[in-house]
Amino acid sequence: MSSLPKAGEFLGHPKGLFLLFGTEMWERFGYYGMRAILVLYLVAMTQDGGFGWSNADALSLYGTFTMAVYLTPLFGGWLADNVLGQRKAIIIGGILMALGHFIMGVPHSAVIGMEVNVFYLGLALLCIGNGLFKPNISTMVGDLYNDGDKRRDGAFTIFYMGINLGGALGPLVAGYVAAVINWQAGFIAAGIGMVISVVMQLILSKKYLGDIGVVPSAKLSQSQSATGTKEPLTSVEKDRIKVIFTMSVFSIIFWMGFEQAGGLMNLFANDYTDRMLMGFEIPASWFQSLNSLFIIIFAPIVAMIWLKLDKREPNSPVKFAIALVFLALGFLTMMLALITEGSGEGSLQISMMWLVLFYLFHTLGELCLSPIGLSMVSKLAPLRLASLLMGIWFLCTAIANKIAGFVGSFLGEGQEAMNNAMGIFIGLGATALLSAAAMYLLSDRLVDWMHGAEGHHEPHTQEHILAEELEISAVKS
C-alpha cells in the first residue's frame, strides 16, 4: 500500500478525504448540470436553439450516452491499475471532460452544418474522460485508510455527500443559465465546474494525498508480493469477487428504474407537469436536483435509523433488497398520479408533488444501495484488481442506463404517452419487487462469501460512523 499522507486530520478523517470530496463535488456539478438539460436540449425546437428530436430519439441517445459514461470506467480502471496510476488518470480524465462540456457549448452559428458532429465530439470526450476519472477517485478514498480502519465506510458516506452536493447544485445552476441565456451557456456553466475540479487536484493533491495513486496499483501489489510476481487469487478472494459480481448484477435492476430520472421523468416534468409556483415557472431541469437534495437531508436520518437498530441492522444484501422496494414505491406513486389526475380530457398536467414523492422514494432506495456498493467493492476487492472491479460495478450501471433509455423510448408523444407511461411504470415496479425478493433470499449466502468482511460483530458500518460524526460535529459547533 502507498504510504499515507501526513497532512493531518479534519473531523476525524484525513484531510485528503475532503480534497477528494471537493474534486468529486465539482465534477458531479458539471456532469449532473449537463445531464439535467441534455434531453431537454435535444427535444427543443431548432428555433429555440435545440435539435428538434423526437422523445424516442432523444431518450435512445440519452441511454447510449449514459451507458458509455458508466462503461468507460472499466477501461479507465484497467489503465490506472496497470499504466497511468490513479492520480494521473484523474487529471487527464478531468481535462477531457472539461473540453467535452465546452465543445457542447459551442454556438450552433459557429459550426453551421456540423452542429450534430460537434455535439457528438463533446459527448465522446465526456465519456472517455469520465472513464479515467470516476473509478479511480472512488478507489483513492479507500486508499487513504489502512486495512481494518473502521473509518473507511464512514469516509465513503462523507464522499457520497460530496457527490450529491455537486449533483444538487449542477442542475440548479446549469438549468437556470440554460433557461435564462441559452442551452450552450448551460453546458459552459457545467464545464466551469469541471475546471475547478481539475485545478483542485493539480494544486493540492501532493500536499494532502502524498504518493497515493501515483504508482499503478498492479505494480504496487507486485512489488509487495513475497515472490515479486503476480500471485493467484485465493479462495477467499474468489468468494468475495463473487459477491461483488452478484450484487453488481442486481444493481442493474435498481439503476434501470432509477435512471429514468434524467430521461423519461425529465420529459414528464417538462411536458406533463404543472410547474407554476406563485407565478414562477420552475424549470423542468430543477427537478433533477431533488434526488441530491433529499440525500443531503435524509442521509443523517437513515444513518440514525441503522444506529438505533444496532444488532438488528440489516446486512448489505438485505439493504439492496430494501432499495428495490423503495424503487417500486416510486413507480407506484407515478401510477397513482396517472390514475387520479390523468382521467380528464386535454393535456395532462399532474401536480409537482407527485414528482417530489417519486424522487423521495427513489432517494431512500439509493441511500440503501449506492454508498454501500462503493464501500463493498473497496472492502472486498483484492488490491491488484481494485480499480478494475470498481469498473465492473460501473459496467453494470452502464448496462442499466442503456436499458433505461430503451425502456423510456417507448414513452411516445402527446396523449399516447400517458398510456405508455402507465405500462412502463407497472413493468419497472413489478421487476423491482421480484428482484427484491430474490436478493433477500440470497442474502445469507452472500454474507457467508464475504468471509467476515461484514457481520454483526462489526458494529461500525458507514451509516453508524456518519451518525457519530454528525453528533460530534453538533456538539463542537
Side-chain angles (χ1 to χ4, degrees), residues 188-212:
I188 290 172
I192 291 172
M194 193 65 247
V195 169
I196 296 173
S197 176
V198 172
V199 170
M200 287 180 66
Q201 272 295 305
L202 287 172
I203 295 176
L204 301 174
S205 59
K206 184 175 181 180
K207 178 178 179 180
Y208 292 109
L209 298 177
D211 64 352
I212 287 176

Side-chain angles (χ1 to χ4, degrees), residues 3 19 61 63 134 159 176 206 248 268 276 284 290 294 304 307 309 312 322 325 359 367 432 449 457 469:
S3 60
L19 170 59
L61 176 67
K134 194 165 183 64
F159 179 71
Y176 179 77
K206 184 175 181 180
S248 295
F268 208 94
M276 296 302 298
L290 284 175
F294 282 147
M304 293 305 297
L307 183 62
L309 288 174
R312 294 175 295 163
I322 295 171
V325 172
Y359 284 112
L367 285 170
W449 283 346
H457 59 283
E469 289 167 343

Side-chain angles (χ1 to χ4, degrees), residues 84-417:
L84 295 174
Q86 294 151 351
R87 188 89 62 82
K88 190 179 295 183
I90 287 172
I91 297 298
I92 296 173
I95 292 172
L96 290 175
M97 292 176 75
L99 287 173
H101 286 302
F102 290 136
I103 287 174
M104 291 172 68
V106 173
H108 288 184
S109 59
V111 288
I112 296 175
M114 298 187 296
E115 298 94 335
V116 174
N117 291 334
V118 170
F119 172 73
Y120 282 147
L121 174 61
L123 288 183
L125 289 174
L126 282 174
C127 292
I128 297 169
N130 182 83
L132 290 167
F133 188 101
K134 194 165 183 64
N136 298 305
I137 194 162
S138 298
T139 304
M140 286 175 68
V141 173
D143 289 342
L144 285 167
Y145 301 86
N146 287 314
D147 292 341
D149 192 330
K150 292 180 179 179
R151 297 177 299 168
R152 181 185 300 213
D153 283 345
F156 272 98
T157 300
I158 293 172
F159 179 71
Y160 204 65
M161 296 289 276
I163 291 174
N164 287 284
L165 183 57
L169 294 173
L172 293 176
V173 174
Y176 179 77
V177 170
V180 172
I181 304 177
N182 56 44
W183 299 109
Q184 284 71 34
F187 293 128
I188 290 172
I192 291 172
M194 193 65 247
V195 169
I196 296 173
S197 176
V198 172
V199 170
M200 287 180 66
Q201 272 295 305
L202 287 172
I203 295 176
L204 301 174
S205 59
K206 184 175 181 180
K207 178 178 179 180
Y208 292 109
L209 298 177
D211 64 352
I212 287 176
V214 174
V215 179
S217 59
K219 296 179 181 179
L220 187 62
S221 177
Q222 183 174 336
S223 69
Q224 294 174 349
S225 168
T227 62
T229 60
K230 291 184 179 180
E231 297 179 349
L233 294 171
T234 66
S235 59
V236 170
E237 288 175 328
K238 289 178 181 178
D239 279 349
R240 289 177 171 178
I241 289 173
K242 284 192 289 186
V243 175
I244 293 173
F245 271 92
T246 302
M247 295 179 72
S248 295
V249 169
F250 271 89
S251 75
I252 292 175
I253 306 299
F254 181 84
W255 296 122
M256 176 181 69
F258 184 88
E259 289 297 338
Q260 296 299 328
L264 183 152
M265 297 306 297
N266 210 1
L267 293 176
F268 208 94
N270 191 58
D271 298 335
Y272 307 108
T273 303
D274 180 3
R275 294 181 280 110
M276 296 302 298
L277 181 64
M278 301 177 65
F280 172 71
E281 185 176 28
I282 297 174
S285 58
W286 281 18
F287 287 91
Q288 298 299 297
S289 290
L290 284 175
N291 168 247
S292 295
L293 289 171
F294 282 147
I295 284 180
I296 294 169
I297 294 169
F298 287 100
I301 297 174
V302 172
M304 293 305 297
I305 291 173
W306 298 141
L307 183 62
K308 294 296 183 183
L309 288 174
D310 196 20
K311 292 182 179 180
R312 294 175 295 163
E313 178 190 357
N315 55 47
S316 293
V318 172
K319 288 179 182 178
F320 267 50
I322 295 171
L324 289 163
V325 172
F326 277 123
L327 183 76
L329 288 174
F331 289 115
L332 175 61
T333 298
M334 294 310 299
M335 290 160 56
L336 291 174
L338 293 179
I339 291 171
T340 58
E341 300 190 22
S343 57
E345 296 294 329
S347 177
L348 172 69
Q349 292 287 291
I350 68 167
S351 167
M352 290 184 290
M353 292 310 299
W354 292 110
L355 287 183
V356 172
L357 286 173
F358 171 85
Y359 284 112
L360 173 60
F361 281 127
H362 280 200
T363 297
L364 293 174
E366 185 183 5
L367 285 170
C368 294
L369 182 142
S370 190
I372 286 129
L374 292 173
S375 180
M376 173 194 70
V377 176
S378 172
K379 187 161 46 180
L380 299 179
L383 172 63
R384 60 192 178 279
L385 297 176
S387 288
L388 180 61
L389 288 171
M390 190 68 76
I392 293 292
W393 171 260
F394 291 124
L395 169 64
C396 289
T397 308
I399 295 170
N401 274 272
K402 180 57 181 176
I403 298 173
F406 176 74
V407 171
S409 68
F410 287 98
L411 178 64
E413 309 284 341
Q415 198 64 31
E416 174 195 17

